């Protein structure tokens, strides 16, 4: 198996000095492209890039199709508002049907790995236990997956934050956690000598973040994989129960239709993300009735607070430490992650008002710090293609609402223990807390107004669940889509349940696992 390799098998002479060879819309001159490959991969993020490298180095002819643009690192602006427009799905406006949950995904060559916060967790043991118990996935254990985890961690330089990578916001809030007696730990991140710019969510201009854009995709290309951007796959094609390829459109950055594209390939790997993968399969009429169901997303709050001393939350590494005191479902089922933020994000996390209240709020921006909450949500959502548009049906379940409120109260407590003067609640109402005695009263105002909560998700997952029972899973334990041969899923859609932690490392490992089983 490929997991036994201890090195990236590439001749450095084959690697480009700068950038990546990508066929873009601007390179297409005709009105139709007819291509062929041994494997066509839809999506170039965590799952697509790892699959491309692992299969290309086996000698397969690999073609990667990415719906978003190719933006080389030198063109990243480090401006979050502009990055939302150029690097994110739906220009950063992708949301659930109720409009109270923003679902952020990368839509560019490299996918969400280009715009994530670098956080690198292995799958927790209790999650594997849940997969065994509920979905029959007894082959997935920390021990059996260790070679995959070790491989990607080695390839992507994943290591624990060093002291100089713990920014002031993380140092201040670490002290608050310690005062409360809570377990607080440094993050592990996929970083090579972090430049400490704090612009992770806008793409890493210095290429210190080991995203797919600068690692697995160039490595795959060095083994002969071809990459096309600006290519929207509409349907997976099949004949007599077997995949035969895909068809779609080449669309430029202004949304103009440039050409139709058709690819002949006996193997199709779906790695377009937990929203787009089921949508493409539904448009194709492939898979069972579980495709699109069981969607989870770690609905999160960003809880900001103002401190008496300057924090400068935009300085240093964006993510430094996390609190795992409540991670296990028996202890609460949530994680608190200390995160920096920029001026644009400050305007999004709560209700700063208008006019003088807004000016007063922003004048003290340098004194702000924040905490991101993550919960182990149940898979209650559903992704649907509704004739001419996608729909994300997701409402916070009655089972998960208590965890969300508990995580919010814990974040407020941690801020106050760290010395915050005022903690702003993530609500469309202007609500804040200044004393521990007021936490319950203020937060409980939101219990009967869940529509006022400002939730965001960076971690959509689970919409093509793998499992042993076709009644509750879309894919088998090898990642093969049920009902058609030659179609595999290798992205976060595959996850049977939400992970509670940032999923990128799990997706890397699962994509490697699935690639080893592509025949």
């Amino acid at each position: 198996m490929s997991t036994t390799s201890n090195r990236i098998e590439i001749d450095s002479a084959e690697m480009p000095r700068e950038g990546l060879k990508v066929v873009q819309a601007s390179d297409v001159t005709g009105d139709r492209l007819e291509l062929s490959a041994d494997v066509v991969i839809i999506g170039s993020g965590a799952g697509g890039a790892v699959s491309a490298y692992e299969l290309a180095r086996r000698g397969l002819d690999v073609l990667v199709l990415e719906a978003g643009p190719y933006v080389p690192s030198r063109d990243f602006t480090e401006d979050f508002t502009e990055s939302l427009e150029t690097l994110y799905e739906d220009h950063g406006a992708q949301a659930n049907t109720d409009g109270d949950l923003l679902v952020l995904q990368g839509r560019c060559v490299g996918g969400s790995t280009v715009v994530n916060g670098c956080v690198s967790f292995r799958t927790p043991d209790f999650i594997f236990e849940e997969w065994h118990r509920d979905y029959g996935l007894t082959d997935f254990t920390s021990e059996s997956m260790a070679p995959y985890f070790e491989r990607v961690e080695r390839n992507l330089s994943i290591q624990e934050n060093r002291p100089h990578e713990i920014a002031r916001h993380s140092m201040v809030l670490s002290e608050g956690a310690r005062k409360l007696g809570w377990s607080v730990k440094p993050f592990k991140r996929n970083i090579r000598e972090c430049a400490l710019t704090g612009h992770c969510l806008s793409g890493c201009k210095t290429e210190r973040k080991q995203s797919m854009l600068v690692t697995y995709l160039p490595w795959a290309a060095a083994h002969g994989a071809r990459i096309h951007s600006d290519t929207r796959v509409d349907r997976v094609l099949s004949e007599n129960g077997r995949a035969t390829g895909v068809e779609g459109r080449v669309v430029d950055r202004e949304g103009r239709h440039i050409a139709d594209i058709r690819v002949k390939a006996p193997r199709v790997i779906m790695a377009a993300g937990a929203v787009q993968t089921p949508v493409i399969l539904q448009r194709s009429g492939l898979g069972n009735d579980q495709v699109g169901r069981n969607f989870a997303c770690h609905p999160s709050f960003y809880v900001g607070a103002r401190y008496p001393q300057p924090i400068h939350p935009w300085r240093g590494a964006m993510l430094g430490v996390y609190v795992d005191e409540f991670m296990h479902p028996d202890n609460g089922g949530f994680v608190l992650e200390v995160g920096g933020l920029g001026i644009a994000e400050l305007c999004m996390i709560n209700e700063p008002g208008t006019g003088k209240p807004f000016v007063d709020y922003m004048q003290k921006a340098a004194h702000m710090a924040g905490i991101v909450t993550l919960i182990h949500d149940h898979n209650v959502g559903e992704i649907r293609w509704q004739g001419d548009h996608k729909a994300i049906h997701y409402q916070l379940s009655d089972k998960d609402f208590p965890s969300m409120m508990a995580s919010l109260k814990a974040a407020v407590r941690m801020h106050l223990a760290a010395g915050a003067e005022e903690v702003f609640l993530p609500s469309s109402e202007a609500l804040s807390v200044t004393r521990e005695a007021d936490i319950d009263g203020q937060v409980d105002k939101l219990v009967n107004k869940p529509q006022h909560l400002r939730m965001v998700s960076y971690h959509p997952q689970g919409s093509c669940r793998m499992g042993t029972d076709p009644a509750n899973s879309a894919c088998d334990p090898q990642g093969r889509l049920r009902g058609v041969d030659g179609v595999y899923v290798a992205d976060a859609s595959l996850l049977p349940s939400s992970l509670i932690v940032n999923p990128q490392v799990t997706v890397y490992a699962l994509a490697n696992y699935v690639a080893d089983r592509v025949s």
Side-chain angles (χ1 to χ4, degrees):
M1 291 173 59
S2 63
T3 52
T4 59
S5 174
N6 290 319
R7 60 190 178 90
I8 298 297
E9 298 171 358
I10 294 170
D11 182 346
S12 61
E14 298 175 326
M15 295 291 290
R17 291 186 178 181
E18 183 180 17
L20 183 61
K21 184 179 180 181
V22 177
V23 176
Q24 305 177 62
S26 57
D27 300 316
V28 177
T29 55
D31 60 3
R32 186 167 186 82
L33 289 177
E34 296 279 354
L35 304 173
S36 63
D38 295 330
V39 185
V40 59
I41 299 174
I42 305 173
S44 64
V50 170
S51 300
Y53 167 67
E54 293 297 338
L55 294 171
R57 80 187 190 98
R58 278 169 43 185
L60 294 175
D61 179 17
V62 174
L63 176 62
V64 180
L65 304 179
E66 167 60 50
Y70 169 51
V71 183
S73 304
R74 64 176 179 271
D75 291 343
F76 294 150
T77 64
E78 299 184 341
D79 180 331
F80 185 61
T81 54
E82 184 173 331
S83 298
L84 285 172
E85 181 69 26
T86 58
L87 301 176
Y88 284 76
E89 181 69 34
D90 290 349
H91 310 294
Q94 180 173 259
N96 65 342
T97 52
D98 289 341
D100 59 358
L101 174 69
L102 195 62
V103 182
L104 295 174
Q105 288 180 286
R107 188 173 187 270
C108 56
V109 172
S112 293
T113 72
V114 173
V115 294
N116 69 17
C118 310
V119 172
S120 301
F121 285 101
R122 291 190 182 189
T123 314
D125 286 344
F126 66 85
I127 295 295
F128 281 134
E129 292 167 5
E130 182 179 336
W131 293 3
H132 301 168
R133 182 187 69 242
D134 297 339
Y135 310 111
L137 297 171
T138 54
D139 288 343
F140 290 89
T141 66
S142 296
E143 293 74 23
S144 67
M145 292 301 291
Y148 294 101
F149 289 134
E150 290 166 2
R151 180 173 174 77
V152 299
E153 287 167 352
R154 182 171 57 249
N155 289 347
L156 300 177
S157 300
I158 292 173
Q159 58 186 321
E160 189 173 279
N161 278 336
R162 291 167 290 179
H164 73 278
E165 294 172 315
I166 308 296
R168 180 153 181 75
H169 51 71
S170 293
M171 289 191 288
V172 168
L173 279 157
S174 291
E175 186 57 31
R178 293 188 185 99
K179 285 181 180 179
L180 294 168
W182 295 350
S183 170
V184 58
K185 297 174 181 174
F187 281 115
K188 290 183 177 180
R189 298 186 301 148
N190 55 317
I191 288 288
R192 282 187 187 271
E193 299 299 329
C194 183
L196 308 178
T197 65
H199 294 295
C200 293
L201 305 186
S202 301
C204 185
K205 196 175 184 71
T206 65
E207 298 193 340
R208 309 302 177 87
K209 180 198 295 188
Q210 299 299 282
S211 75
M212 299 298 94
L213 180 65
V214 299
T215 55
Y216 275 86
L217 287 175
W219 301 340
H223 281 288
R226 295 165 288 156
I227 304 167
H228 284 233
S229 66
D230 308 314
T231 305
R232 302 178 185 178
V233 172
D234 294 319
R235 295 176 61 236
V236 176
L237 304 175
S238 63
E239 190 173 311
N240 299 322
R242 169 162 279 282
T244 59
V246 303
E247 65 180 13
R249 297 159 290 140
V250 178
V251 179
D252 69 13
R253 296 192 188 188
E254 285 70 46
R256 293 186 295 256
H257 179 250
I258 302 301
D260 294 325
I261 183 171
R262 187 181 182 98
V263 180
K264 292 182 179 179
R267 306 170 188 87
V268 178
I269 295 182
M270 304 299 303
V275 175
Q276 289 71 29
T277 283
V279 162
I280 294 170
L281 292 173
Q282 288 167 7
R283 286 200 301 253
S284 308
L286 296 179
N288 63 14
D289 64 358
Q290 295 299 299
V291 171
R293 295 185 178 180
N294 311 307
F295 176 76
C297 61
H298 295 161
S300 300
F301 296 134
Y302 193 101
V303 186
R306 187 182 68 248
Y307 284 76
Q309 73 276 27
I311 303 292
H312 296 106
W314 48 81
R315 293 181 181 174
M318 192 184 78
L319 289 159
V321 298
Y322 67 100
V323 171
D324 63 350
E325 182 78 16
F326 312 99
M327 180 184 288
H328 196 283
D330 292 343
N331 297 330
F334 62 87
V335 177
L336 304 178
E337 301 187 347
V338 180
L341 73 168
I343 296 298
E345 297 95 307
L346 279 170
C347 300
M348 298 169 62
I349 62 174
N350 58 272
E351 180 48 60
T354 59
K356 188 176 185 302
F358 177 78
V359 172
D360 290 343
Y361 173 80
M362 295 306 294
Q363 281 181 333
K364 297 176 180 177
H367 291 247
M368 295 284 286
I371 299 171
V372 177
T373 68
L374 295 181
I375 71 164
H376 180 39
D377 60 321
H378 293 75
N379 297 63
V380 298
E382 186 169 359
I383 307 299
R384 282 288 141 206
W385 178 249
Q386 298 190 171
D388 61 353
H389 67 281
K390 67 188 175 191
I392 303 172
H393 298 287
Y394 185 93
Q395 290 183 330
L396 197 62
S397 76
D398 291 341
K399 292 180 180 179
D400 294 328
F401 193 76
S403 294
M404 287 292 281
M405 293 298 99
S407 71
L408 177 54
K409 289 181 179 181
V412 176
R413 284 189 68 198
M414 188 167 154
H415 271 305
L416 293 176
E421 293 179 325
E422 184 175 14
V423 185
F424 302 98
L425 300 187
S427 166
S428 57
E429 295 183 75
L431 296 175
S432 64
V433 180
T434 57
R435 302 183 308 153
E436 184 165 356
D438 296 335
I439 294 176
D440 288 343
Q442 287 293 85
V443 172
D444 288 347
K445 289 180 180 179
L446 298 171
V447 170
N448 296 320
K449 300 178 181 179
Q451 71 276 12
H452 288 209
L453 295 171
R454 290 190 172 182
M455 298 183 291
V456 64
S457 166
Y458 256 102
H459 306 152
Q461 55 198 286
S463 52
C464 292
R465 171 190 284 165
M466 64 175 173
T468 57
D469 185 354
N472 66 9
S473 61
C475 297
D476 72 11
Q478 285 74 48
R480 296 176 297 201
L481 184 71
R482 299 186 187 280
V484 58
D485 291 335
V487 178
Y488 299 81
V489 174
D491 60 18
S493 309
L494 204 57
L495 300 177
S497 69
S498 77
L499 294 180
I500 201 172
V501 295
N502 308 56
Q504 72 166 334
V505 171
T506 298
V507 175
Y508 294 142
L510 279 178
N512 200 156
Y513 173 91
V514 171
D516 278 349
R517 286 153 181 79
V518 170
S519 59

